[in-house]
Amino acid sequence: MRFPMKNRALILTLLLGTLLAGSALQARAREVININRNWRFFSNSHTSDNATMVNLPHTWNRDALGGHNDYYRGIGNYIKDIKVPAEWRGKRVFIRFGAAGDVANLAVNGRHVGEHRGGFTGFTFELTPYLRFGETNSIWVIVNNSPQMDVLPTAGDHNVYGGLYRDVELIVTEQSVIRASEGGIRLVQKAVSSERAAVDAVIRIDGQRDRNLLVNLAVTTPRRDTIFFQASRFRVPASGIGTVTIPIELESPTLWNGVENPYLYNVIVKVTDQNVTCDSLAVPLGLRYFSVDPKTGFALNGRPLQLHGVFYYEDRASVGPALTEYQIREDLDYMVEMGVNAVRTSPGPHSQEFYDECDRRGLIVWSDLPFVGPSYLTDRGYIGTESFRANGVQQLREMISQYYNHPSIAMWGLFSNQSMRGDDPTSYIKELNTVAREEDPTRMTVGASNQDGQMNFITKLVVWDHIFGWKEGLPSDISVWLKQLQANWSNLNSGLSYGAGASIYHQDDSLYRPDYLGNWHPERWQSYLHEQYYSFAKNAPFLWGVFIANMFDYGAAGREWGDGTGVDDRGLVTFDRKYRKDAFYFYKANWNPDEPFVYIAERRWDRRVKRTQTLKVYSNAPEVEMLLNGVSLGKRSGVNGVFTWENVTMAEGMNDLEARSDSGIDHTRIEIAEDKIHHGIN
């Protein structure tokens, strides 16, 4: 059912309004009920009599957040009693978990419903056969985060949290429904340009056999104007499960164009059975296309775009991975402020709310499978058993199915820093790559690597994870490596990642590479390393993306170095999100030209020995003036957002610094305590 373009919008709006109004007097076809509140929780060493009341999202591993490497890894029980209305009799009831770390078993009224293995993807069970309608029903979830050698990840230094750390919902529907779990509607972008878009809407129906259903599909703009409508008949097969494909054609579409214009259409699908609404569902549609060339890098909608990315762990002090929607938005606010346009999900897929926000903000996402390589000598990232391989494939298929429609996702990550310690993972990476291409030929695959080997030639993209200036060598060594990359491996689509640890409490007069395994990680070295890497990477257009490790500090209870608090301190923002480290402002100066600012760097190094100092400012302004104790030291032009005043003689005692530019003003105070320190009074 198509109309001439000049009349189509008006006719479709009226038609869709009539269709929706026809069901307005009926009960809602799909009811989604959040059940996060009031769960009883107890560990396996207790009984339900000792249960405490918790709200979701929840993790029991606050002991890991305290930096204890022996944090509890075992079984936790969640029980909730729910009154199921008698009016639901004749309907179907599902329960959807956003995630459970790592293995979850569900029992309803004492009967086992099912098991899910893997802590980063969601899962859905149908409860209908297990419920007693008109009565109170018991839901019992047994969650296990103990180490299991056939559930990914089996290695890595990140905390493996236990719990129901994402939302849990009940879904109540009629008998014939669009698949209740994510993936019920798959929008396959076959051909996209600024002139035309061709998309197949593949809709999975789960319903009563032999019923003749009407499937209506409409595409609306953000202003709710209907620009496309199509209807299709579908007869439910004997198996009860089938798919119907509705082609969508749009002329002169507005493209989803990253942070510049993250334009989202809305696709509304409604299923009716003899004029009775069975189900309805809406999903976003962002039309875009991308490519990568080994010489010119990444392109979005045909235009070059170097990706300024970060690694992001959904993990923060006091809550672990049990982030609320507000906290996810707050984390992304930090990224947008810094000028980030790309994000890698570490160590595995994140919540739907995270991807929704990336869609709305125009961030490019690298969504990762938790196939993580070894961080310690005792780790084995790959264990070549049949059950291990099957679990990785299961989690990969779930990730692609559940997050397929998010326009922000440009690539599926298949592995991270695998090594030859133990079984050779090369053939398995090939298997994963084949599965990913079969499930989604529209996107690229990517792997993160820190060593040579055939594994680097399997995925479409590779990101080299470097440690120059942190674990060995100097930051400037990256320039030699980049020349070697171009000379020997210019055919690879290469990206770069790097980072260094820093504590805001560690300030040092000397600038040197610290021992990364030691307990002294000075903030100045982190800033210096990032300044050096950036200066070389920005002149390498063949790098399709640069990813900083990490955006935030994250929990790694096995780490005894740095502050010794079980935190990976390579973040540009502290674990509690209270403090932006200096390197954050360096990237803001280079990646975010739209938010003028000036920032006096090394401000936490506020008690110094020598009177002669070099003063540093980060800013995106063309020129900055520095004042010392009210006296101008002159104006400077910056290089890569860095402004310096060398050989500045400061007064003994307290000194006032003020940086001025058209972007604003910043103040700080520095104490020169030369005499006191020399006399051992510091």
Side-chain angles (χ1 to χ4, degrees):
M1 186 182 298
R2 297 184 176 87
F3 311 96
M5 283 301 295
K6 62 181 180 180
N7 297 322
R8 187 180 297 175
L10 175 60
I11 295 173
L12 293 184
T13 301
L14 293 173
L15 179 57
L16 184 63
T18 300
L19 288 168
L20 295 178
S23 60
L25 299 179
Q26 303 170 7
R28 283 182 294 176
R30 172 181 291 221
E31 188 173 4
V32 180
I33 305 165
N34 183 286
I35 56 171
N36 281 351
R37 296 184 62 81
N38 298 327
W39 289 76
R40 287 177 289 147
F41 170 77
F42 58 98
S43 69
N44 211 41
S45 59
H46 296 85
T47 66
S48 58
D49 293 336
N50 305 112
T52 57
M53 198 67 71
V54 301
N55 294 327
L56 309 183
H58 175 263
T59 178
W60 62 71
N61 283 125
R62 291 181 180 269
D63 50 351
L65 295 169
H68 301 291
N69 194 30
D70 58 348
Y71 64 93
Y72 176 69
R73 295 190 64 180
I75 290 177
N77 298 272
Y78 293 85
I79 295 178
K80 184 176 180 66
D81 295 330
I82 296 178
K83 180 67 181 292
V84 177
E87 307 88 78
W88 288 4
R89 188 175 284 110
K91 295 183 179 290
R92 300 176 69 179
V93 183
F94 302 85
I95 189 168
R96 180 168 60 203
F97 296 86
D102 277 345
V103 176
N105 279 271
L106 172 65
V108 174
N109 295 324
R111 298 167 60 194
H112 185 255
V113 176
E115 179 182 69
H116 182 263
R117 301 174 69 79
F120 295 96
T121 49
F123 53 99
T124 301
F125 295 119
E126 183 165 4
L127 303 184
T128 315
Y130 304 90
L131 294 177
R132 297 192 291 262
F133 295 92
E135 300 180 25
T136 298
N137 292 252
S138 173
I139 297 176
W140 178 20
V141 191
I142 305 99
V143 184
N144 188 352
N145 74 328
S146 62
Q148 300 188 52
M149 292 299 98
D150 61 351
V151 178
L152 279 63
T154 57
D157 69 344
H158 60 280
N159 292 342
V160 180
Y161 295 98
L164 296 177
Y165 48 74
R166 292 182 191 156
D167 289 348
V168 179
E169 298 170 327
L170 290 181
I171 303 171
V172 185
T173 72
E174 301 297 333
Q175 289 298 313
S176 293
V177 300
I178 303 165
R179 183 181 180 184
S181 59
E182 292 89 355
I185 301 173
R186 179 173 289 199
L187 303 176
V188 182
Q189 301 191 27
K190 298 169 60 180
V192 174
S193 70
S194 57
E195 292 79 32
R196 176 178 172 273
V199 179
D200 277 350
V202 182
I203 304 160
R204 182 173 175 178
I205 305 294
D206 180 359
Q208 293 176 294
R209 58 182 296 179
D210 298 329
R211 301 296 294 182
N212 287 308
L213 306 177
L214 178 64
V215 182
N216 297 316
L217 180 145
V219 180
T220 64
T221 69
R223 297 179 62 181
R224 299 185 180 180
D225 296 324
T226 302
I227 59 170
F228 180 88
F229 177 81
Q230 182 68 289
S232 179
R233 289 286 180 183
F234 175 73
R235 185 179 179 88
V236 181
S239 64
I241 298 175
T243 59
V244 57
T245 299
I246 298 180
I248 301 171
E249 295 182 9
L250 301 178
E251 298 174 17
S252 301
T254 301
L255 301 186
W256 186 92
N257 203 30
V259 295
E260 184 178 306
N261 183 22
Y263 192 90
L264 292 172
Y265 294 97
N266 206 32
V267 175
I268 304 168
V269 177
K270 188 174 74 166
V271 178
T272 58
D273 185 353
Q274 297 181 349
N275 296 323
V276 176
T277 300
C278 298
D279 199 6
S280 61
L281 195 61
V283 293
L285 171 63
L287 297 165
R288 78 287 181 265
Y289 60 97
F290 31 71
S291 62
V292 171
D293 182 270
K295 292 184 175 60
T296 59
F298 186 88
L300 174 63
N301 300 327
R303 296 170 55 191
L305 175 67
Q306 188 178 60
L307 300 185
H308 302 152
V310 290
F311 292 10
Y312 173 47
Y313 290 77
E314 279 190 333
D315 187 10
R316 67 157 69 188
S318 77
V319 297
L323 272 61
T324 64
E325 291 185 31
Y326 171 81
Q327 290 168 325
I328 293 169
R329 291 195 298 270
E330 184 181 52
D331 284 354
L332 286 165
D333 286 344
Y334 277 106
M335 297 182 206
V336 170
E337 178 192 346
M338 199 175 82
V340 167
N341 63 12
V343 187
R344 176 192 180 187
T345 68
S346 299
H350 290 351
S351 66
Q352 288 286 356
E353 291 77 16
F354 163 79
Y355 294 98
D356 288 341
E357 279 294 313
C358 290
D359 293 343
R360 288 188 282 264
R361 296 169 188 250
L363 301 180
I364 303 294
V365 175
W366 158 8
S367 189
D368 229 1
L369 181 72
F371 185 26
V372 181
S375 296
Y376 305 102
L377 291 176
T378 55
D379 278 352
R380 294 183 66 187
Y382 173 58
I383 301 159
T385 63
E386 184 176 339
S387 57
F388 179 99
R389 296 168 73 103
N391 182 256
V393 170
Q394 167 213 312
Q395 292 196 46
L396 177 61
R397 292 187 190 278
E398 289 177 347
M399 176 174 70
I400 295 174
S401 175
Q402 293 173 23
Y403 304 117
Y404 185 94
N405 291 329
H406 290 285
S408 55
I409 299 176
M411 61 208 76
W412 302 116
L414 301 187
F415 69 93
S416 176
N417 293 345
Q418 290 297 319
S419 78
M420 302 303 292
R421 188 186 308 157
D423 298 322
D424 183 351
T426 305
S427 65
Y428 186 48
I429 294 172
K430 290 180 179 178
E431 179 184 353
L432 293 173
N433 194 64
T434 299
V435 170
R437 297 295 298 155
E438 290 173 350
E439 289 285 324
D440 182 9
T442 71
R443 289 183 174 93
M444 298 172 284
T445 56
V446 60
S449 181
N450 58 4
Q451 61 185 280
D452 296 331
Q454 287 301 309
M455 70 180 74
N456 302 323
F457 298 88
I458 299 170
T459 52
K460 175 73 173 179
L461 312 175
V462 62
V463 170
W464 304 99
D465 188 14
H466 273 294
I467 56 175
F468 300 132
W470 182 232
K471 293 186 178 181
E472 63 184 26
L474 294 172
S476 58
D477 293 342
I478 191 63
S479 64
V480 178
W481 179 86
L482 285 170
K483 292 176 182 177
Q484 293 175 341
L485 176 70
Q486 278 298 88
N488 300 313
W489 310 109
S490 60
N491 60 317
L492 289 174
N493 294 314
S494 294
L496 181 67
S497 66
Y498 55 88
S503 168
I504 61 171
Y505 304 109
H506 296 175
Q507 306 297 331
D508 203 323
D509 288 331
S510 301
L511 190 63
Y512 60 91
R513 175 170 65 86
D515 179 4
Y516 79 98
L517 294 176
N519 60 1
W520 187 251
H521 290 174
E523 185 179 12
R524 291 179 65 213
W525 182 259
Q526 183 192 53
S527 302
Y528 174 74
L529 180 144
H530 283 287
E531 291 173 19
Q532 291 286 300
Y533 267 84
Y534 177 84
S535 66
F536 295 110
K538 79 164 189 174
N539 295 317
F542 54 87
L543 293 176
W544 60 265
V546 171
F547 289 83
I548 308 305
N550 303 298
M551 185 65 210
F552 305 99
D553 294 345
Y554 68 86
R559 289 183 178 265
E560 298 177 355
W561 47 95
D563 277 336
T565 56
V567 170
D568 185 313
D569 60 4
R570 290 176 297 164
L572 303 181
V573 179
T574 56
F575 194 28
D576 58 10
R577 306 327 194 236
K578 288 184 178 180
Y579 301 100
R580 299 163 176 83
K581 301 178 188 178
D582 280 0
F584 174 97
Y585 292 98
F586 169 72
Y587 283 105
K588 181 177 179 179
N590 288 282
W591 287 357
N592 184 1
D594 300 326
E595 186 178 322
F597 82 102
V598 58
Y599 172 81
I600 300 174
E602 301 177 345
R603 64 202 305 129
R604 281 177 284 269
W605 179 29
D606 57 2
R607 200 167 193 223
R608 308 183 186 183
V609 176
K610 300 177 181 178
R611 292 184 61 188
T612 301
Q613 293 287 332
T614 295
L615 305 179
K616 182 192 292 188
V617 165
Y618 294 138
S619 178
N620 50 16
E623 194 174 62
V624 175
E625 181 183 14
M626 176 69 80
L627 286 79
L628 171 62
N629 298 322
V631 178
S632 176
L633 300 178
K635 297 181 179 180
R636 297 287 188 272
S637 297
V639 178
N640 295 334
V642 182
F643 301 75
T644 56
W645 291 258
E646 297 179 341
N647 299 315
V648 175
T649 301
M650 304 179 74
E652 187 172 345
M654 198 62 68
N655 292 260
D656 293 317
L657 297 179
E658 179 180 301
R660 294 178 178 176
S661 74
D662 293 339
S663 304
I665 299 175
D666 191 29
H667 300 267
T668 194
R669 307 186 78 194
I670 301 295
E671 182 182 7
I672 301 298
E674 185 176 24
D675 291 342
K676 293 181 180 178
I677 293 175
H678 284 173
H679 289 87
I681 304 175
N682 186 37

